[in-house]
Structure formats: structure tokens, C-alpha cells
Amino acid sequence: MKKFLAMALSLTLSAGAWAQNLKVSDFHHDPADITPAVERVDDLNGDPCGLVKVSLSVDSPEFEGDVVKTVHKGKSEYWVYMVDGSSYLNIKTDDYPALRYDFPENVRGNNCYIMDVIRPGENPARRTLTLRFDDGTGEEATYKLEMVLCKAGRFEMGDTPEQYSDETDAKAHWVRISRDYYIGETEVTQDLWEFVMGIDANQSIIHGPKFPVDNISYEQAERFIASLNKMVSVGIFRLPTEAEWEYAARGAHKMTRTRFAGSDRLDEVAWYYENSPEGTHKVKGKAPNEIGAYDMSGNVWELCSDWKEDFKDKEVTDPQGPQKGKSRVRRGGAYDSKDPLQMRVAYRRRSVPNEQQPSVGLRLVWQR
């Protein structure tokens, strides 16, 4: 009996240790990242290395394999330069068992790869990003921002059958999203806007720290994002493309083809004129959609990066919209939308870039 108990205890401890392992949540080639060419490192033969950008929030990791050089970039990003043809990477830390990761493709010289490593208990479907601000007094202020994952996939965008619309500017067509990205769990709130831009920069009509920022223009949103990106050490924030916005509103890789963002019943998920004629509400006051994003229907309109043009009836990959135009796109409807059709995930409106609009806000995308 004692031997059996000892064996059972040993198995339990082994299982517990196994559960405490680090895990790779994402590895992909990023052909658009030219860092290996701009900040080139050569191997002993003078040939250019490949670069693996590792995101890992542990102290003093060691990287082993065909590693030529490691650079610590910010709080949780490490640039690991590796010999052309490298097929694996070992990561050793003081707190977790060593992790060996065999790359799905060999590293190539002058190419960049993204590798996200998560600790036990971290959820790859969500990401908490910490913003840091030094006001010059030596005191560092921080703000934690919650993002939800949209996995790469293919979806039908525009006026699909469940949208019940005969509008001509949103023809149904297939879109391929080739890379994972994270989108804000909520619209940008006023406390986040003030953290980045200062209290005096908040010109919202309805005030409250957890209310969405409103009464902004596209140009103000871009200035906000430029300031925001100075506060993070990994990845970049930006506005979503129109395709990314609709993919997320539909539930991304978990979509169930509802008319609104998360439901066919508007009052479950949206603040709009019938239930909120007086103005905006705190974020997360209604039910989220399939990926855990709140208020993608109603509350405030959300800006996208695209110039507006009519959709074409053909499949596209990672559409960015036209290179120029007169108006940007806004999506999702708002508290002052009297027509429930404006809260549909396929509905589109124009936004003049330099004009502030009382019911317009934004939601962020973050990508490595």
C-alpha cells in the first residue's frame, strides 16, 4: 500500500510539473519585417542570420541552438539571431523546465520569425498588454489593456444572407485573413485616452473613466495611436482594417453568423437609440460576442483605417482599402443610431478624417 501511494504521489508530482511547462502559442514567418536586413548580424562564415523575435515574460532566459547573438529588447522581447537553416531553439529559465521547440520551417537568413511563448496559466486567446509612462519625476505609471485573439481564417464579408440587406456598397465576397491579430476587448475608454494623451485632451460628450472616448476624428485617433506605441516594447497598435473589424465583430474564428455582434437579438449586445437615447454607457454593459469582444454593435461608432469604397464581388486576402479617398470607414452603429440596421456587422458609414463626430470612437488592433 505504501509503495502504491508513493507511486501515485510521484505520478501526481510529475503531472504537476508537466503542467508548469512553458508553451509556444504562435510561430510564424513575417516576410514584411525587414529587421534582419536593417540590423544585420552575420554568422562566423559571414552569412546573414535569420532573426527569431521571441516574446517571453520571464527573467533572464537562456537561448540554445544555432544561436549567434541574443538581444534583450524591452521588458519581454528577445531577438535571437540564428544560423541559416536552424531547425530548433532551446529556452532555459530558472522557474520552468527547459523548452525545446522544433520550428515548423527552418529559419532562413535575412528573414524574420515571430515566436510567442506563454507561461502556465496564460491564455493565448487573450493578451494583457502593459503600457508604461514616465512623467519625468522618476515615477512610472502603468495601464493594463486587455486584447482578444482573432485567429487567421477565411470568411464571407458584407451583405451575407443573415444581414437581410439590399444595400449596394457591401456586396458579399470572400476574404482571407492571413495572420492572427488581437483586437481590443472593449472600445478605447476615456481613462486610457487620458493616460496616453492627458486629461485636457478628452473632449468626450458623456464623461466617465470606463465610458468609451467619443467626439473624436480619424486624425485624432491616429495621433493617439502614435503616442500609445511609444509606451509598449512589443508589437504595435493600429486601427483595424475594415475586414479585420468585421471579422472580429462576426466572432472571427468562432463566428456563428449572427446579424449583430454576438446575437440576433439587438438588446442583448448593443446600446442604441431605443435603449440609450441619452448617450453612451460604460463598456462591457452588454453581452460579448463569441471571442469576448464587447460593444462591437452600438455604444459608439468605431473607426477603421480604410478609405471607403464599394465592395467588389471577388475574393481578396488582407484587404487594406483604396490608397486614397475622401472619407474613412466607421463601423458598428452608436447610441444615437435610430435605425437598428446600423448595428449590423456588415453596415458601413463614412467619416471625414478631420471632423470630430459626437458618437465616434475607436477600438485598437495589436499585432506582433
Side-chain angles (χ1 to χ4, degrees):
M1 175 63 78
K2 288 183 179 180
K3 180 180 286 189
F4 176 79
L5 288 175
M7 184 180 297
L9 179 59
S10 174
L11 289 172
T12 301
L13 291 173
S14 298
W18 179 259
Q20 297 303 308
N21 283 2
L22 297 171
K23 178 182 178 182
V24 176
S25 64
D26 179 42
F27 182 91
H28 67 267
H29 176 220
D30 187 354
D33 193 326
I34 62 172
T35 303
V38 175
E39 302 188 33
R40 175 169 165 164
V41 172
D42 293 340
D43 63 19
L44 293 177
N45 296 318
D47 296 322
C49 292
L51 172 60
V52 181
K53 291 185 176 180
V54 181
S55 173
L56 174 61
S57 55
V58 300
D59 294 328
S60 303
E62 295 180 10
F63 299 95
E64 297 180 348
D66 294 324
V67 176
V68 175
K69 181 180 180 180
T70 300
V71 182
H72 187 189
K73 305 288 286 190
K75 183 175 178 60
S76 58
E77 183 169 38
Y78 300 85
W79 290 7
V80 183
Y81 287 91
M82 305 193 71
V83 172
D84 178 78
S86 296
S87 60
Y88 74 96
L89 183 64
N90 281 341
I91 301 176
K92 293 183 177 180
T93 69
D94 292 337
D95 299 322
Y96 303 102
L99 168 68
R100 175 187 169 112
Y101 183 70
D102 294 305
F103 302 137
E105 57 180 295
N106 285 2
V107 168
R108 302 195 306 273
N110 261 348
N111 281 261
C112 186
Y113 302 82
I114 303 299
M115 180 174 173
D116 284 342
V117 182
I118 59 175
R119 296 175 300 173
E122 289 182 331
N123 181 0
R126 302 180 67 85
R127 186 133 191 173
T128 302
L129 299 171
T130 301
L131 311 179
R132 300 180 186 278
F133 173 70
D134 187 345
D135 62 5
T137 66
E139 295 294 328
E140 185 180 67
T142 61
Y143 186 101
K144 293 189 180 298
L145 185 56
E146 298 292 330
M147 312 292 288
V148 293
L149 176 65
C150 299
K151 292 189 67 66
R154 182 172 177 266
F155 76 109
E156 195 173 12
M157 182 176 180
D159 285 325
T160 48
E162 78 282 352
Q163 297 298 302
Y164 307 114
S165 172
D166 57 2
E167 293 168 0
T168 59
D169 70 335
K171 291 180 181 178
H173 61 291
W174 285 93
V175 172
R176 185 177 299 279
I177 303 294
S178 67
R179 283 187 56 187
D180 296 355
Y181 61 95
Y182 286 83
I183 198 163
E185 179 189 46
T186 70
E187 296 150 332
V188 169
T189 53
Q190 292 176 41
D191 61 346
L192 173 56
W193 185 275
E194 292 176 1
F195 182 84
V196 176
M197 303 298 285
I199 295 175
D200 293 341
N202 183 5
Q203 301 176 33
S204 299
I205 305 300
I206 306 295
H207 279 269
K210 293 303 179 184
F211 282 67
V213 69
D214 63 61
N215 194 32
I216 65 167
S217 68
Y218 174 89
E219 292 178 354
Q220 288 173 318
E222 287 290 279
R223 289 195 292 271
F224 164 78
I225 290 172
S227 297
L228 178 64
N229 277 322
K230 297 175 182 177
M231 299 181 176
V232 291
S233 60
V234 178
I236 60 167
F237 288 104
R238 57 179 172 80
L239 286 173
T241 65
E242 191 175 9
E244 288 170 337
W245 188 94
E246 185 170 322
Y247 185 54
R250 287 176 175 269
H253 53 287
K254 296 183 178 181
M255 71 174 63
T256 55
R257 282 191 177 259
T258 54
R259 196 176 195 194
F260 309 108
S263 179
D264 286 320
R265 299 176 62 180
L266 184 55
D267 281 315
E268 289 182 352
V269 293
W271 297 113
Y272 65 113
Y273 188 77
E274 289 213 1
N275 64 15
S276 186
E278 73 284 358
T280 56
H281 283 254
K282 288 182 180 179
V283 298
K284 300 176 70 169
K286 293 287 186 177
N289 73 351
E290 297 91 331
I291 57 171
Y294 292 83
D295 301 303
M296 294 199 78
S297 289
N299 219 10
V300 292
W301 291 97
E302 299 178 14
L303 292 163
C304 297
S305 61
D306 307 47
W307 294 104
K308 191 174 185 297
E309 70 172 354
D310 291 356
F311 290 161
K312 297 176 177 61
D313 187 14
K314 64 177 183 179
E315 182 164 347
V316 288
T317 298
D318 299 327
Q320 305 291 314
Q323 293 185 354
K324 59 183 179 179
K326 294 183 178 179
S327 301
R328 300 286 181 172
V329 176
R330 53 185 164 117
R331 289 296 209 110
Y335 70 88
D336 58 357
S337 298
K338 294 184 178 180
D339 186 351
L341 293 178
Q342 293 187 358
M343 263 62 64
R344 293 181 300 114
V345 293
Y347 188 78
R348 316 169 69 217
R349 285 288 290 271
R350 299 180 184 274
S351 185
V352 178
N354 61 356
E355 289 185 1
Q356 290 180 237
Q357 296 171 299
S359 56
V360 170
L362 75 156
R363 187 182 299 261
L364 296 166
V365 156
W366 179 86
Q367 197 164 37
R368 283 288 307 272

